[in-house]
Every structure is written in C-alpha cells, then in structure tokens.
Amino acid sequence: MAQTQIHIFDTTLRDGEQVPGCKLNTAQKIAIAQSLETLGVDIIEAGFPISSPGDFQSVRAVAQHVRHATVCALSRAVENDIKTAAEALEGAKHPRIHTGIGVSDIHIKYKLRTTPQDILQRAAAAVRYAKSFVEDVEFYAEDAGRADNEFLARVLEVAIENGATVLNIPDTTGYCLPHQYGAKIAYLMANVRGIHKAILSTHCHNDLGLATANAIAGVEAGARQIECTINGIGERAGNTALEEVVMILRQHADMNFYTNVNTRLLNPVSHQVSETMGMPVQPNKAIVGANAFAHSSGIHQDGVIKKRETYEIIDPFEVGVDHSKIVLTARSGRAALAYRAKCIGIDLMKDELDQVYTEFLLVADRKKEVNDDDLRVLCAQLVNQSVSQLVG
Ligand code: KIV
Ligand code: ZN
C-alpha cells in the first residue's frame, strides 16, 4: 500500500522562540532555519513579523536564505499584521501567511469580547486579505481544542471559501485527550463543506504531556500536517516534539505514513537548538535526551550487550547518536562491568571479574556513576594485589 506524506511544519523559530529566555537574533535564526531545511522539514514558521522590528528582520532574512522549504509568517486576523507578514516574506521562494483568530467560547467572550458572527466575518476577511499577497494561506482556529465542533466547522468553511488551503486546529491549552482530539479531526473531515480543498494541521500543546499523542491521534483521523518544534519547546509546557512524531511514524511503518525528515540529523539539530537557545534538554527526553540510549540496570545491560534490540526499539545511529551507552552504577551487573572494562582495553578473566566486581560495588554505592578512570583504578588495584601476593 502506498504511503501518505505527513507534512512537517516546524515552529521552533516562532512558538519555540516564545519561551522566556529563548529569544534568537537574526544570525541565530538563519543558522537554525538552514539546519531545519537540511533536516527536511516542509514548512519553517520563521516568526511573527508584527511583534517587533527585530522579528520582522529575522523573518525577512530567513525568507531570503531558505530555498526549498516553505517559509511561513504568523499574523493575527488584523490587516496590519497580515500586510507586515507579507512584507517580511517578500524574498521567499515559497511564502505562506498563517493567520487566524480565537474560536472557543472563552476566547470569543473574554479575550476578543465579541460574538461568533463577528469571528466568522473576521476570519473571512483575514484569509481574503492574506490571499491578496500570497497563494499559500494557512488559517488557525485558536483554542480549537476547547471549541464547539459545529461552530469550528463553520469557521473553517468560511476560511476555505476565501482561499485557505491549510487549516490549523490548535489545542492551544493542551487540554484534549488523544481520543477527543482525534474525534475532533474526524468530525471536521466529515462535516466541513469543501474540506477536500484543504488539509488539516495539528498544533498541540503539552500542558498535560499529551502533545505528541494528540498529534498522532489527529493524523490517524485525517490530519496531514503536524506543527511541532525541535525538543518540544514552546509556550508553557511546550509543543509536540518534532523528533517524537517523526520517529513514531517511522517506527510504526504499518501506519503507512512518511515524512521527508532525515532522521540521522535529529540529534545534531537538537543539540544546535538547545545550545543556541541555552535551553537544556531533559536527560530522559525521547530520541534526543542524553539517556535515550543509556542503560544502567544489570538486567537491561545484560540484554543489550547480548542483543541491542532486547531493550532498544530504535537504532541510535538512525537518529544521529554514535552508539548506545552502558552506564556503570550500583545497579549494574558483572556483564556490564566486563563489557566496559573490555571497551577500555582490559580483558577480565572470570575470577578477576568477581574480585573487581566486589570492589566496584563499594565504589558504586558511594558514587552515582563509575566512570572509565574509576574502572582503570579498580583494575589496577587488582593487579597490584596479585603482585604483592606473589612478592609476599
Ligand atoms: O497555540 C496556538 O494556538 C498557536 C496559534 C497562534 C497557531 O500557537
Ligand atoms: Zn501554539
């Protein structure tokens, strides 16, 4: 069966950069955009041009540097925002304007202080105006996750009628459960007039730790674009992590989806983003965390040494990591100790291993991790002991 492409829309430079302390200058944005393009993402959301002159410059520079991917700029459903986004995108080979408005009751009543009827009119006008600048217009229905599905469908119909070809369904507050988000996408696929003229996009926040699961549920229900960020950074608890959705679709080939991402670049790009933004990646982060391919308990280590696949579903090489790590801790067993000793050039016979292991456990109980230097000292002590026994 032919596989279906899922478009990867990276918003590291927009939603990701909104994280306090992660602001980037123009040169940094260009460097990351170039890496994203090499990584193979389809769309790069470069920023929110109306937000500041600096961001306008950055979007403009990214638009001029990126040649293959689509470069997207965010705007509210406000004429001046849209015009400014269009100006920033002038040099882009493939420009996209991303415009939209809040659609949940709480956004309409308290944030926008208006009526559903007015939202329909503003959505129509915004898409129409954006369309006067670029062919490729994406419409976002902010807080779609908590919006009434019937009203959401009417807003999307208006967006399609005015020329939007991508419809973003953000779970802005990260509220939905995967089955709810999936059902929402399925409802829209079945109930929006003209839906065949557009594709649905997921944009899921991680407030309940469900951003990745929700994006995948959306794809299973018919969405064909995922909005995501490197390392899952983004407002509050972050967004769907690019590396996670890409690897889920790849590892579950029976789902019959593919992306254009070169997975071997996932770890290098993750490091680049983390270092440039000064935003460390949690060690247990899937795919790109320092411990994603590290094994420390004796039972797991023994299995991995015998056959890596016993405890790893991904070959680290496929995501740009040199090799799995066997970490020596007080929970490690003899197999791991012998393996690590061998890695540093020391072959331990069975009785030698028993002796070093006893000493190793004493050190491991004192230290969190026993490193190569500690191991060399432990092995050298064994040799010294044997020599002194011989001499004595
Ligand atoms: O989370 C959200 O709703 C957004 C939109 C602006 C797309 O980031
Ligand atoms: Zn967002």
Side-chain angles (χ1 to χ4, degrees):
M1 192 173 149
Q3 292 202 316
T4 302
Q5 182 180 358
I6 299 302
H7 297 265
I8 297 296
F9 176 116
D10 180 278
T11 182
T12 305
L13 299 179
R14 199 280 294 170
D15 212 317
E17 203 234 15
Q18 285 171 209
V19 174
C22 285
K23 208 195 133 324
L24 301 174
N25 61 36
T26 299
Q28 291 168 325
K29 275 204 170 186
I30 294 173
I32 292 179
Q34 282 171 332
S35 298
L36 292 171
E37 177 159 61
T38 311
L39 180 65
V41 310
D42 302 288
I43 303 106
I44 298 171
E45 187 164 50
F48 183 16
I50 194 77
S51 65
S52 75
D55 211 36
F56 179 90
Q57 279 313 325
S58 294
V59 175
R60 167 162 276 190
V62 169
Q64 284 159 359
H65 278 80
V66 169
R67 294 292 86 182
H68 303 292
T70 295
V71 178
C72 178
L74 185 78
S75 75
R76 292 166 296 180
V78 171
E79 282 206 352
N80 198 32
D81 276 36
I82 297 169
K83 187 161 162 285
T84 307
E87 278 165 17
L89 289 172
E90 262 163 22
K93 186 121 192 277
H94 309 286
R96 175 181 293 183
I97 294 179
H98 189 190
T99 189
I101 195 160
V103 296
S104 63
D105 289 350
I106 189 165
H107 274 228
I108 297 172
K109 189 165 170 198
Y110 295 102
K111 192 182 93 164
L112 299 159
R113 298 191 176 140
T114 186
T115 60
Q117 193 51 38
D118 182 49
I119 297 296
L120 289 168
Q121 278 161 12
R122 287 206 223 171
V127 174
R128 205 178 318 121
Y129 190 56
K131 202 74 184 176
S132 71
F133 295 103
V134 294
E135 198 37 48
D136 187 354
V137 175
E138 171 169 343
F139 176 78
Y140 65 86
E142 197 181 7
D143 205 18
R146 292 188 296 173
D148 171 71
N149 283 348
E150 261 184 55
F151 178 65
L152 176 59
R154 296 297 80 79
V155 181
L156 298 182
E157 281 170 2
V158 159
I160 294 172
E161 278 160 22
N162 285 279
T165 48
V166 183
L167 305 170
N168 179 9
I169 314 302
D171 183 21
T172 303
T173 58
Y175 174 73
C176 290
L177 297 172
H179 74 273
Q180 294 169 333
Y181 190 74
K184 190 173 282 284
I185 298 291
Y187 176 88
L188 297 173
M189 291 295 290
N191 292 286
V192 172
R193 214 177 328 111
I195 192 68
H196 60 281
K197 295 189 209 152
I199 65 167
L200 291 178
S201 178
T202 70
H203 180 111
C204 300
H205 278 270
N206 205 31
D207 300 65
L208 292 173
L210 293 170
T212 293
N214 284 343
I216 296 297
V219 165
E220 286 183 300
R224 292 295 173 257
Q225 175 178 286
I226 298 179
E227 306 196 3
C228 47
T229 59
I230 300 291
N231 302 333
I233 57 170
E235 281 277 355
R236 307 180 310 281
N239 288 64
T240 300
L242 181 149
E243 59 278 6
E244 293 174 8
V245 286
V246 165
M247 288 312 292
I248 289 169
L249 298 180
R250 186 184 156 112
Q251 294 307 108
H252 289 270
D254 55 329
M255 289 170 81
N256 275 314
F257 295 118
Y258 73 95
T259 71
N260 281 335
V261 169
N262 176 354
T263 61
R264 293 190 187 168
L265 296 177
L266 286 173
N267 266 276
V269 176
S270 159
H271 290 150
Q272 181 191 8
V273 168
S274 161
E275 277 158 30
T276 312
M277 288 188 163
M279 183 77 168
V281 175
Q282 70 193 64
N284 59 323
K285 170 81 188 59
I287 322 292
V288 294
N291 291 345
F293 298 96
H295 307 272
S296 77
S297 91
I299 298 171
H300 291 208
Q301 291 175 330
D302 182 46
V304 170
I305 291 166
K306 288 175 178 151
K307 188 161 176 68
R308 188 186 56 74
E309 289 83 350
T310 52
Y311 287 96
E312 280 182 1
I313 57 158
I314 297 170
D315 181 344
F317 181 72
E318 291 304 323
V319 293
V321 174
D322 290 344
H323 47 73
S324 319
K325 273 193 282 183
I326 298 289
V327 184
L328 292 181
T329 71
R331 304 290 157 262
S332 299
R334 285 177 176 72
L337 185 62
Y339 170 84
R340 284 290 302 277
K342 203 169 172 153
C343 291
I344 56 170
I346 305 170
D347 258 320
L348 294 169
M349 307 308 276
K350 189 179 170 319
D351 56 331
E352 292 171 331
L353 179 61
D354 287 342
Q355 287 178 57
V356 176
Y357 187 65
T358 311
E359 294 304 314
F360 158 77
L361 285 181
L362 298 177
V363 177
D365 265 339
R366 285 200 310 271
K367 294 188 70 180
K368 284 191 195 314
E369 193 181 320
V370 176
N371 61 30
D372 287 352
D373 286 342
D374 300 324
L375 193 53
R376 277 190 197 93
V377 170
L378 282 167
C379 293
Q381 276 168 358
L382 176 78
V383 173
N384 289 343
Q385 251 175 32
S386 315
V387 171
S388 63
Q389 272 164 10
L390 274 177
V391 175

